[in-house]
Amino acid sequence: MLKSKTFVKKTRSGGVLKIVREHYLRDDIWCGSEVCTECKQESTVLQRDTCIESNLCAYPHYLIPDTNVVLHQIDVLEDPVIRNVIILQTVLQEVRHRSAPVYKRIKDIIHEKEKHFYTFTNEHHRETFIEREPGESANDRNDRAIRVAATWYTQHLKTSESAADGLKVVLLTNDQGNKQKAAESGLLVFKCEEYIKSLIANPELVDRLALTNDEKNEITSSKVLFPEHLPLSRIQAGIKSGSFLQGTFRASRDNYLEATVFVPGEGEDSTEVLLQGLQNLNRAVHQDVVAVQLLPRDHWVAPSSVVLQDEGMAKDENPEEEEEEKAVTAKKPTGKVVGIIKRNWRPFCGMLNVSQIKESTRHLFTPADRRIPRIRIETRQASTLAGQRIMVAIDGWPKDSRYPNGHFVRSLGGAGEKDTEEEVLLLEHDVPHQAFSQAVLSFLPKMPWAITPEDMKQRQDLRQLTVCSVDPPGCTDIDDALHCRELDNGNLEVGVHIADVSHFIRPGNALDKEAANRGTTVYLCGKRIDMVPELLSSNLCSLRSNVERLAFSCIWEMNHEAEILKTWFTKSIINSKVKHNKNHDLFAYLLYLSQMRIDDTTMNDDITKSLRGLNKLAKILKRRRIENGALTLSSLEVRFHIDSETHDPIDLQTKELMETNSMVEEFMLLANISVAQKIYDEFSECALLRKHPAPPPSNYDILIKAAKSKNVAIHTDSAKALADSLDMATVDSFPYFNTLLRILATRCMMQAVYFCSGMDSDFHHYGLASPIYTHFTSPIRRYSDIIVHRLLAVAIGADSTYPDLMDKHKQSALCNNLNYRHKMAQYAQRASVAFHTQLFFKTRGVLNEEGFVLFVRKNAIIVLIPKFGMEGTVFFDSKDKTAPNLVFDEEISGVSVPAEDLEPQSKKSKLDR
């Protein structure tokens, strides 16, 4: 049966387009129940025995939730207890349009076989499809479609064997009007809350219920604490007229009464609006998209210099003693939140603060992320949840409530336990870490795998070259290798060979989509969350020694002054010659070669010659890069030695950069630049590139102030001027001063980002002083590199293109996800280091180590301990508000500057390898 609808639409060019939409209806769509004798089903999802005890429904039953139940009670639906649920196509489509995260979660539930969730395509079933009636709203039509489908199921199952079993269908809705109409139609219908409370064998499910509007009103007070949010229509009109600004709300880590709103603009037109006080923050939560109104200029204030954490006081102003300091500190545009455009809430990890009131069911939850406010939840499991890490979701934040209201989602385990804390940091930083699905694994090569004669024909055979792979100790995902040899004409041939991951991951399949979503491999202490399955990352794509591997090669002909005479790219087959055995880890072996063999003129084997040539050229390349203004910054990174049995840290030390690292780094940078230019020349509108914006001048305030304290001048007119200033910034009596300045300079930097060349005009990479740059050299651990490989392969005729690769808008959307994943991976790695540092010191008592005061706040100092790469806040005694009872080293006290909460920074250029 076919229904069609015809309408006309005006195009951008002014023409008229006739559109005909055909809607096919069928009568052979299965109901999905194993008790049905009417449908001729090849397989079923819904069980005969529904196995759920309810004092409202003492009979076997299937559930049909409406759209709002799925949207707001997804945490309940995810519980293993809830099974045999019919998800209507109408509901699924509405959820998809209204909430992408919930849509993904419900789709995941549907794919879990043990949950027995069945999708019924009621919109294409001849007996359940309905037309929208004149004057009927889309919402009312969808509610009616849900009732019609529920009625059909009720009648359909009555004619089958299920009638003898007493099997019924229960509609769940929280809409009073929908419930009343369903009851009038003879349907079994309940509110979601009353049904969940009726599950006598599973009382814990009640805690997972999101609050309805009625319940939110019950628990709030009559005292109004916050201004009313403006309706969206007024917000949009205000933004259009310029009276309001739209931006992203960023709460402060250091002061719960302060936040900023980043208002994007073109180039330097971006604005950052300062917010101070609970009423001006007006119930916005970190990362919400909000509308702000600027206050009059005489109400503008300076950022607070107080470290202030929420201790439950409802005060709305910062301490009075700040006023004197604010008078001499630059004031910033200041405003207030007038409305919420888009909430960015997610389940939050943290701890339950059990109420002191005996037998109370209402408690406060403290999130692990200090930027998130405490959340009031209702639970009957407080005694069990005390001391555990739990997840809580926000339901709403009424204007008469000091804290938002929420509900318990699930427990993660005991606080302080390694597995629990690792799960917390992965969840908090949105790192996809679930096992790869069978759909993803099905696209892996079948083992045993070998290079085929067809591969040989399409690639350049470079197995005769002396290729060396260089990666950290214990690394199994080796994605880069090098070679250097002298040509007959006296020049040098240098090659960078990168694992050809794109050969195994083809565009658009499940493996490719999973890698694109993950975006990057995440390296935690003692653990790695792979972007691609281990068969690829540690085996078939890893450039292991003495094994033939597929590669993508970037090769140059250079003279002995490292000037490039010729560049070419080719798909290749290589065989790494460096041995990696148990007695010498790879770094130690290569370092031995570089330090002993390179200087020993009696050693002239192929590996030594190759390394000697590479080392000489790398030094020239690095010198030239620095002369052009590339920055050499600093950051403290630590490496843990992990116990093989307990997996606890037994030693830690700061990482050192070896000469071998620098040698490899120079050629990886050169390859990235060469490939960037090639793909941009071929695809000027859709090349995936990477840029590092120059910081705004105000970012350097903390650096300039620190240097000035020791009478050192820092020039920030250009990257070259900054690099030269840092090179000359030394104090004889304070050897660590230059390193501290470089650490501060690192924190002044902006985040390097991926972008599509057709969507931007500024390509410059500030930190590397390069006019164009991309990522080509790590496709095992970065999805950006896979896209670059595909672009390069098309450019040299080694592979075919596909529509998404040439679509600049889709490339730009992909870049946004990659930037987000990369940033979250950095945060997760830092959190892992912080947690393992806590584990390391847990049993070691008090240690005396050298520390440096990085920043001074009004009521605290931020101290850096270089040996352990630690940075922490030391609060002054709150009873003594004059000065801390601490002894300062005069040599380091001059480095004290106001702390800033900066974006993750580009450190040394090694981060852009």
Side-chain angles (χ1 to χ4, degrees):
M1 183 177 176
L2 171 67
K3 287 184 174 290
S4 64
K5 184 177 182 181
T6 305
F7 58 95
V8 293
K9 180 170 119 175
K10 190 175 181 180
T11 63
R12 288 184 180 179
S13 59
V16 175
L17 184 66
K18 181 180 179 181
I19 297 176
V20 178
R21 286 186 179 165
E22 296 180 339
H23 192 92
Y24 290 87
L25 300 179
R26 301 171 57 172
D27 55 9
D28 59 349
I29 297 175
W30 306 331
C31 69
S33 173
E34 68 180 15
V35 303
C36 178
T37 57
E38 298 293 314
C39 300
K40 297 177 181 179
Q41 307 177 81
E42 295 178 5
S43 62
T44 57
V45 175
L46 302 168
Q47 298 170 296
R48 178 185 295 271
D49 183 4
T50 57
C51 301
I52 190 164
E53 296 182 45
S54 166
N55 57 20
L56 277 179
C57 312
Y59 35 79
H61 57 275
Y62 297 149
L63 298 175
I64 298 182
D66 74 357
T67 304
N68 284 321
V69 168
V70 174
L71 283 170
H72 301 126
Q73 307 297 348
I74 186 68
D75 293 321
V76 172
L77 295 177
E78 284 178 328
D79 194 278
V81 171
I82 306 299
R83 292 181 293 172
N84 294 293
V85 177
I86 301 164
I87 302 295
L88 300 177
Q89 182 187 3
T90 304
V91 171
L92 206 55
Q93 288 174 344
E94 271 200 284
V95 170
R96 183 179 184 180
H97 291 144
R98 291 171 60 181
S99 175
V102 174
Y103 178 73
K104 183 181 183 306
R105 290 169 71 180
I106 193 66
K107 289 288 286 185
D108 288 342
I109 298 173
I110 291 168
H111 290 142
E112 290 181 34
K113 290 184 178 180
E114 62 275 10
K115 288 283 287 177
H116 300 282
F117 272 52
Y118 179 66
T119 304
F120 179 62
T121 51
N122 63 302
E123 296 290 354
H124 290 279
H125 194 290
R126 184 165 53 88
E127 296 181 30
T128 58
F129 172 76
I130 60 168
E131 296 273 13
R132 184 173 169 183
E133 296 177 348
E136 186 178 38
S137 70
N139 185 62
D140 288 344
R141 181 265 170 202
N142 289 340
D143 284 346
R144 185 161 59 90
I146 293 169
R147 294 195 300 272
V148 167
T151 300
W152 178 85
Y153 255 103
T154 300
Q155 295 171 349
H156 179 75
L157 293 177
K158 276 182 181 179
T159 63
S160 65
E161 293 178 3
S162 61
D165 298 333
L167 184 63
K168 300 184 184 299
V169 173
V170 173
L171 176 63
L172 297 182
T173 180
N174 289 329
D175 185 311
Q176 189 60 39
N178 194 26
K179 182 185 177 187
Q180 184 176 343
K181 289 177 182 178
E184 290 171 356
S185 302
L187 290 170
L188 284 169
V189 57
F190 302 106
K191 283 191 172 182
C192 183
E193 290 75 11
E194 61 182 340
Y195 175 80
I196 295 302
K197 290 175 181 178
S198 77
L199 303 181
I200 50 179
N202 304 96
E204 73 283 354
L205 270 182
V206 175
D207 288 351
R208 302 186 71 173
L209 284 169
L211 295 178
T212 63
N213 288 330
D214 292 340
E215 289 173 316
K216 291 174 190 174
N217 293 333
E218 287 175 13
I219 65 173
T220 55
S221 66
S222 57
K223 182 181 178 182
V224 175
L225 301 176
F226 298 99
E228 188 82 59
H229 286 150
L230 297 180
L232 195 57
S233 57
R234 282 192 60 189
I235 290 173
Q236 291 171 338
I239 291 172
K240 190 174 181 179
S241 67
S243 56
F244 300 152
L245 299 174
Q246 176 178 327
T248 303
F249 182 89
R250 295 174 177 172
S252 169
R253 290 181 185 274
D254 297 327
N255 189 332
Y256 78 100
L257 293 175
E258 185 170 275
T260 56
V261 173
F262 177 75
V263 181
E266 292 294 329
E268 296 183 359
D269 292 338
S270 299
T271 307
E272 198 168 67
V273 179
L274 180 65
L275 310 175
Q276 284 189 348
L278 286 177
Q279 288 208 336
N280 289 339
L281 300 182
N282 198 9
R283 296 171 285 156
V285 177
H286 183 63
Q287 292 297 328
D288 283 350
V289 180
V290 300
V292 293
Q293 182 178 32
L294 287 177
L295 301 177
R297 278 186 174 270
D298 57 352
H299 285 70
W300 288 10
V301 297
S304 170
S305 62
V306 169
V307 178
L308 196 61
Q309 296 180 7
D310 187 0
E311 296 177 354
M313 295 177 291
K315 59 185 179 181
D316 196 49
E317 296 180 358
N318 287 330
E320 294 178 2
E321 57 265 26
E322 283 194 76
E323 296 305 317
E324 184 179 344
E325 183 164 329
K326 287 184 181 180
V328 296
T329 306
K331 295 182 178 181
K332 290 190 174 184
T334 308
K336 62 181 180 180
V337 172
V338 295
I340 308 295
I341 297 170
K342 181 185 177 184
R343 288 292 192 187
N344 202 26
W345 294 344
R346 58 176 175 82
F348 300 103
C349 303
M351 300 278 289
L352 189 69
N353 300 105
V354 179
S355 172
Q356 299 301 309
I357 302 173
K358 191 176 180 181
E359 297 183 0
S360 173
T361 59
R362 292 174 185 168
H363 310 272
L364 280 179
F365 163 84
T366 301
D369 188 340
R370 294 202 305 268
R371 297 170 297 186
I372 306 301
R374 293 201 278 183
I375 303 166
R376 183 181 286 109
I377 70 168
E378 189 166 344
T379 177
R380 294 157 183 79
Q381 306 176 68
S383 58
T384 304
L385 298 178
Q388 292 192 16
R389 292 284 192 183
I390 64 173
M391 290 184 74
V392 163
I394 297 178
D395 298 326
W397 196 342
K399 63 183 178 181
D400 50 3
S401 174
R402 173 67 174 80
Y403 297 108
N405 299 320
H407 66 273
F408 168 74
V409 176
R410 65 186 175 101
S411 173
L412 300 171
E417 295 176 6
K418 188 173 180 182
D419 289 344
T420 301
E421 298 300 336
E422 201 166 72
E423 178 76 3
V424 167
L425 73 88
L426 291 172
L427 290 169
E428 278 296 290
H429 298 100
D430 196 17
V431 175
H433 58 286
Q434 68 279 8
F436 290 101
S437 68
Q438 284 303 312
V440 170
L441 298 176
S442 68
F443 285 95
L444 292 174
K446 301 296 182 287
M447 297 301 286
W449 175 87
I451 297 173
T452 66
E454 187 65 25
D455 293 328
M456 294 283 193
K457 290 179 185 177
Q458 298 174 353
R459 294 173 180 269
Q460 188 172 351
D461 189 348
L462 302 180
R463 289 175 292 178
Q464 78 283 1
L465 296 180
T466 303
V467 174
C468 309
S469 26
V470 182
D471 268 280
C475 179
T476 58
D477 53 344
I478 304 170
D479 45 21
D480 51 60
L482 295 162
H483 91 268
C484 179
R485 64 174 177 172
E486 190 166 352
L487 301 175
D488 294 339
N489 61 8
N491 292 329
L492 297 173
E493 179 187 273
V494 178
V496 168
H497 311 279
I498 306 300
D500 190 4
V501 181
S502 62
H503 173 84
F504 298 96
I505 302 179
R506 303 308 297 165
N509 65 28
L511 177 57
D512 181 50
K513 290 177 180 177
E514 181 67 22
N517 177 51
R518 295 189 178 214
T520 181
T521 292
V522 181
Y523 294 91
L524 307 179
C525 298
K527 185 175 182 178
R528 188 179 77 205
I529 312 296
D530 281 326
M531 182 185 76
V532 298
E534 190 176 11
L535 178 63
L536 296 183
S537 65
S538 298
N539 188 351
L540 300 185
C541 293
S542 185
L543 305 182
R544 300 187 295 185
S545 60
N546 301 313
V547 180
E548 294 179 357
R549 286 289 180 253
L550 304 181
F552 210 150
S553 301
C554 172
I555 304 174
W556 306 276
E557 182 179 337
M558 296 181 176
N559 60 25
H560 287 267
E561 295 304 314
E563 294 171 335
I564 298 174
L565 307 175
K566 182 181 177 183
T567 305
W568 66 99
F569 309 94
T570 182
K571 294 262 188 168
S572 60
I573 301 173
I574 66 169
N575 190 324
S576 178
K577 299 298 189 294
V578 172
K579 295 179 181 178
H580 185 188
N581 57 53
K582 295 180 181 178
N583 297 323
H584 295 88
D585 69 46
L586 194 53
F587 260 25
Y589 182 59
L590 287 172
L591 189 60
Y592 165 72
L593 286 174
S594 64
Q595 291 184 344
M596 303 295 290
R597 293 192 176 197
I598 290 174
D599 297 329
D600 188 344
T601 56
T602 64
M603 300 186 73
N604 287 297
D605 59 272
D606 290 343
I607 291 179
T608 302
K609 286 181 181 178
S610 181
L611 286 169
R612 188 176 289 144
L614 290 168
N615 196 48
K616 177 185 174 183
L617 294 172
K619 289 180 178 178
I620 298 172
L621 289 170
K622 184 174 183 178
R623 184 182 70 245
R624 189 179 298 153
R625 197 164 52 79
I626 292 174
E627 288 172 354
N628 290 334
L631 296 174
T632 303
L633 302 178
S634 184
S635 63
L636 289 175
E637 297 180 67
V638 296
R639 173 179 290 135
F640 290 93
H641 296 285
I642 305 294
D643 188 285
S644 59
E645 294 183 2
T646 65
H647 302 291
D648 288 336
I650 54 178
D651 191 19
L652 84 164
Q653 60 191 49
T654 53
K655 295 181 182 178
E656 296 180 8
L657 186 66
M658 303 179 187
E659 191 177 74
T660 309
N661 300 62
S662 182
M663 179 186 77
V664 176
E665 177 186 335
E666 290 306 319
F667 289 106
M668 297 303 117
L669 294 175
L670 187 60
N672 287 335
I673 293 169
S674 297
V675 170
Q677 192 62 59
K678 176 66 176 178
I679 62 174
Y680 177 65
D681 289 343
E682 294 289 334
F683 309 108
S684 61
E685 287 294 300
C686 57
L688 191 153
L689 302 176
R690 186 166 176 83
K691 69 174 182 177
H692 181 209
S698 60
N699 275 29
Y700 288 118
D701 290 348
I702 58 171
L703 175 65
I704 293 171
K705 185 175 180 180
K708 190 176 180 181
S709 69
K710 290 298 181 183
N711 299 316
V712 172
I714 295 292
H715 302 288
T716 60
D717 301 335
S718 65
K720 173 67 173 168
L722 175 61
D724 291 343
S725 297
L726 290 172
D727 287 342
M728 294 185 291
T730 57
V731 176
D732 293 338
S733 60
F734 188 3
Y736 201 70
F737 180 70
N738 187 266
T739 302
L740 282 176
L741 286 186
R742 291 183 188 274
I743 290 173
L744 290 179
T746 301
R747 299 178 183 210
C748 298
M749 296 296 111
M750 302 292 285
Q751 174 77 37
V753 292
Y754 298 108
F755 68 101
C756 177
S757 57
M759 305 292 283
D760 208 328
S761 58
D762 178 18
F763 294 5
H764 188 72
H765 197 293
Y766 180 81
L768 298 177
S770 176
I772 194 167
Y773 193 69
T774 194
H775 273 163
F776 164 76
T777 54
S778 295
I780 293 177
R781 62 184 180 90
R782 290 188 306 232
Y783 188 76
S784 57
D785 303 53
I786 293 178
I787 295 295
V788 170
H789 277 226
R790 290 173 180 169
L791 288 165
L792 184 60
V794 175
I796 65 172
D799 205 346
S800 56
T801 187
Y802 57 98
D804 285 4
L805 192 66
M806 298 294 129
D807 188 325
K808 66 180 182 181
H809 297 286
K810 290 187 177 179
Q811 286 280 51
S812 183
L814 173 64
C815 287
N816 290 337
N817 180 62
L818 296 179
N819 291 329
Y820 172 72
R821 294 296 187 197
H822 181 73
K823 181 172 67 173
M824 289 297 103
Q826 284 186 322
Y827 287 151
Q829 287 162 206
R830 294 176 196 172
S832 180
V833 169
F835 174 64
H836 279 75
T837 302
Q838 289 180 346
L839 288 181
F840 177 75
F841 286 108
K842 193 173 182 180
T843 59
R844 282 172 172 77
V846 178
L847 298 178
N848 292 318
E849 293 295 342
E850 183 179 47
F852 298 92
V853 177
L854 270 185
F855 310 119
V856 168
R857 305 302 292 269
K858 192 72 181 176
N859 62 334
I861 55 174
I862 288 79
V863 178
L864 175 73
I865 304 174
K867 180 176 179 180
F868 301 123
M870 292 175 62
E871 184 179 323
T873 303
V874 179
F875 288 92
F876 302 161
D877 188 345
S878 59
K879 296 178 182 177
D880 178 9
K881 297 185 179 180
T882 54
N885 186 22
L886 297 173
V887 177
F888 284 92
D889 183 335
E890 189 276 331
E891 290 185 341
I892 64 174
S893 61
V895 189
S896 306
V897 290
E900 299 288 341
D901 194 13
L902 296 171
E903 287 290 316
Q905 57 285 80
S906 291
K907 301 175 185 174
K908 291 187 177 180
S909 54
K910 65 179 180 176
L911 285 186
D912 265 328
R913 250 181 67 180

